[in-house]
């Protein structure tokens, strides 16, 4: 007869209780003991290894003060490590991913010749090699390259040599001459080119430097404003167009041109394809017409004289009361009597210290008393014209001074 098996319940109960106790002891030890070597301190996130970077010193060797630095780099991040002496913090415009060129821009041309900045180029992935040093960059002033892209030798390599610097075309820059073909003198020019910096490389003859808006660093458009309407018809200016990226400099790139006067367009905007060779301006004969408001005057009458520029180039003279000369007929010839201005006590004409500049289509009136003997007279006006050598003279039609 088979013996009954001993009861297992006490053994199973003890085994389960022992396992639970061991598990509880492990949990408590884990919670209160030292953490795993790869874990972070309480309340913090794991610290990833730093991204690889390259520091490079870029020196302004253009011989001119600059207010911007354009850098071609394939690095994801660009930071300024050390600024030029005395410069405010620049704006850093990252090129990636829009294009290969990044920009440092200061509010003033404070990076003097020989001064340098230190720039850091940082990769965008953990474990990637440090970005290579740049080999193409350009110092700018008001958006215009001072010397074109500069090439520099690579800095001292790191312990792990970086890959060779990338190669590629320089910054695509093109000059374009723009002709004022509106038929009127202009004091402003608005030019628009997508993805490009615009600068004035050649001014119109006789014009002062214009004001430029917006400030350097803004791409796409510029407005040039001169102190007076000095860009005469058939005169031109030349813009230097520095494209923002290689792909932007398409063969059919164009500039939208609007000539202005007093802020108002002189003609409809015109699209000029960049690279278009404009014809050289044709020489225009200066024509200044001198006219009086009558054909006969008494000896003490006042005469109104009109000077009108009816030619195609600017006429420049001094005070008309001094440059207008009264001439009297003597037989078949004319003899000069005096300037139109009244005489001062010294016997010299009372000239006003200003310059009269008449653009094509402009005119000016002057008044003076005659105080002369009866006879036949005319007025002669002496002036200069832009593009014409020597002093020119325009004459009025003859008029009479009668007896009282």
């Amino acid at each position: 007869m088979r013996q009954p098996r001993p009861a297992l319940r006490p053994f199973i109960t003890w085994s389960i209780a022992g396992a639970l106790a061991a598990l509880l002891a492990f949990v408590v030890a884990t919670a209160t003991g030292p953490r795993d070597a790869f874990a972070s301190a309480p309340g913090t996130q794991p610290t990833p290894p730093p991204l690889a970077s390259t520091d490079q010193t870029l020196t302004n060797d253009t011989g001119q003060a600059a207010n911007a630095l354009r850098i071609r780099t394939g690095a994801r991040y660009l930071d300024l490590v050390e600024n030029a002496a005395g410069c405010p913090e620049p704006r850093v415009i990252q090129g990636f991913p829009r294009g290969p060129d990044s920009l440092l821009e200061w509010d003033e041309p404070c990076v003097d010749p020989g001064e340098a900045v230190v720039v850091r180029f940082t990769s965008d992935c953990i474990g990637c090699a440090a970005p290579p040093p740049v080999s193409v960059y350009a110092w700018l002033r008001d958006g215009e390259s001072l010397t074109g892209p500069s090439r520099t030798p690579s800095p001292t390599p790191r312990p792990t040599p970086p890959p060779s610097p990338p190669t590629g075309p320089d910054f695509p820059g093109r000059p374009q001459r723009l002709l004022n073909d509106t038929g009127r003198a202009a004091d402003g020019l608005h030019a628009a080119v997508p993805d490009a910096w615009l600068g004035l490389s050649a001014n119109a003859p006789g014009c002062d430097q214009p004001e430029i808006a917006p400030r350097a660093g803004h791409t796409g458009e510029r407005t040039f404003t001169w102190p007076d309407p000095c860009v005469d018809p058939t005169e031109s200016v030349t813009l230097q167009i520095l494209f923002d990226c290689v792909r932007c400099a398409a063969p059919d790139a164009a500039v939208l041109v609007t000539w202005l006067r007093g802020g108002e367009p002189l003609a409809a905007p015109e699209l000029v394809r960049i690279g278009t060779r404009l014809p050289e301006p044709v020489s225009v004969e200066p024509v200044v017409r001198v006219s009086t408001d009558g054909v006969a005057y008494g000896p003490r009458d006042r005469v109104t004289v009109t000077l009108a520029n009816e030619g195609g180039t600017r006429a420049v003279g001094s005070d008309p009361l001094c440059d207008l000369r009264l001439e009297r007929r003597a037989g078949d010839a004319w003899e000069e009597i005096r300037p139109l201005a009244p005489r001062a006590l010294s016997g010299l004409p009372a000239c006003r210290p200003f310059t009269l500049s008449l653009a094509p289509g402009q005119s000016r009136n002057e008044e003076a008393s005659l105080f002369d003997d009866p006879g036949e007279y005319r007025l002669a006006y002496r002036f200069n014209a832009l593009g014409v050598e020597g002093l020119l003279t325009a004459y009025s039609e003859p008029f009479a001074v009668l007896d009282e």
Side-chain angles (χ1 to χ4, degrees):
M1 185 173 181
R2 185 178 291 181
Q3 296 294 326
R5 292 184 177 182
L8 298 178
R9 182 176 299 276
F11 174 77
I12 295 174
T13 303
W14 177 85
S15 299
I16 294 175
L20 291 175
L23 178 62
L24 179 61
F26 174 77
V27 171
V28 172
T30 304
T32 58
R35 290 183 177 268
D36 186 90
F38 296 99
S40 300
T44 65
Q45 296 295 325
T47 302
L51 298 175
S53 62
T54 299
D55 290 356
Q56 186 172 356
T57 300
L58 301 177
T59 303
N60 179 4
D61 56 359
T62 66
Q64 303 179 58
N67 64 356
L69 173 62
R70 186 202 279 287
I71 304 171
R72 175 155 298 173
T73 176
R76 176 63 178 87
Y77 303 107
L78 181 147
D79 297 286
L80 182 67
V81 177
E82 183 177 336
N83 202 356
C87 283
E89 283 298 310
R91 288 177 290 277
V92 180
I93 303 173
Q94 304 281 355
F96 186 90
R98 182 169 171 266
D101 301 331
S102 296
L103 184 75
L104 300 177
E105 182 193 29
W106 291 267
D107 288 332
E108 57 188 44
C110 62
V111 186
D112 294 327
E115 293 186 340
V117 296
V118 179
V119 181
R120 175 169 295 161
F121 307 101
T122 306
S123 66
D124 59 350
C125 59
I126 298 174
C128 295
V134 299
S135 60
V136 179
Y137 68 93
W139 291 97
L140 312 174
R141 182 160 181 172
D142 297 334
E144 183 178 348
S145 178
L146 295 178
T147 60
S150 301
R151 297 190 177 273
T152 62
S154 300
T156 303
R158 293 172 175 266
T160 302
S164 300
T167 59
D170 292 340
F171 300 125
R174 302 181 190 171
Q176 180 60 50
R177 190 163 66 88
L178 303 176
L179 182 70
N180 179 7
D181 55 0
T182 65
R184 299 175 59 191
D187 63 4
L189 170 65
H190 181 80
V193 182
D195 301 310
W197 274 262
L198 306 177
L200 184 68
S201 60
N203 205 354
C207 286
D208 295 330
Q209 286 299 315
E211 293 183 359
I212 303 175
R215 293 176 60 86
H218 296 266
T219 60
E221 59 181 328
R222 283 287 180 88
T223 299
F224 304 87
T225 304
W226 287 271
D228 59 273
C230 63
V231 186
D232 292 331
T234 74
E235 290 185 343
S236 64
V237 300
T238 301
L239 298 186
Q240 180 67 23
I241 303 170
L242 188 65
F243 285 94
D244 191 29
C245 57
V246 176
R247 63 174 175 79
C248 304
D252 59 348
V255 53
L256 188 64
V257 179
T258 307
W259 290 99
L260 310 171
R261 182 160 179 174
E264 297 296 327
L266 292 176
E270 179 183 8
L271 202 60
V272 178
R273 182 172 174 176
I274 298 173
T276 301
R277 295 181 62 87
L278 300 180
E280 293 297 326
V282 179
S283 59
V284 180
E285 182 180 357
V287 178
V288 173
R289 186 175 301 279
V290 182
S291 59
T292 59
D293 62 342
V295 295
Y297 301 91
R300 293 179 176 81
D301 287 348
R302 294 186 65 81
V303 57
T304 300
V305 183
T306 300
L307 302 175
N309 186 351
E310 299 180 356
T313 187
R314 180 176 295 274
V316 180
S318 60
D319 182 3
L321 292 180
C322 293
D323 281 349
L324 276 166
R325 304 283 173 154
L326 191 63
E327 296 183 354
R328 182 170 54 195
R329 182 185 292 277
D332 294 334
W334 293 88
E335 59 180 4
E336 183 177 312
I337 302 301
R338 61 172 175 84
L340 186 61
R343 296 182 182 275
L345 295 178
S346 63
L348 298 176
C351 298
R352 297 164 295 184
F354 75 91
T355 298
L356 175 64
S357 179
L358 294 177
Q362 288 186 326
S363 62
R364 181 184 176 91
N365 294 333
E366 294 287 351
E367 286 190 1
S369 298
L370 294 177
F371 293 102
D372 281 281
D373 297 332
E376 187 178 10
Y377 294 85
R378 72 177 183 182
L379 291 170
Y381 178 61
R382 300 173 181 175
F383 65 98
N384 293 100
L386 293 182
V388 180
E389 295 184 2
L391 195 64
L392 304 177
T393 305
Y395 298 95
S396 71
E397 292 294 325
F399 58 88
V401 176
L402 308 176
D403 289 328
E404 287 186 318

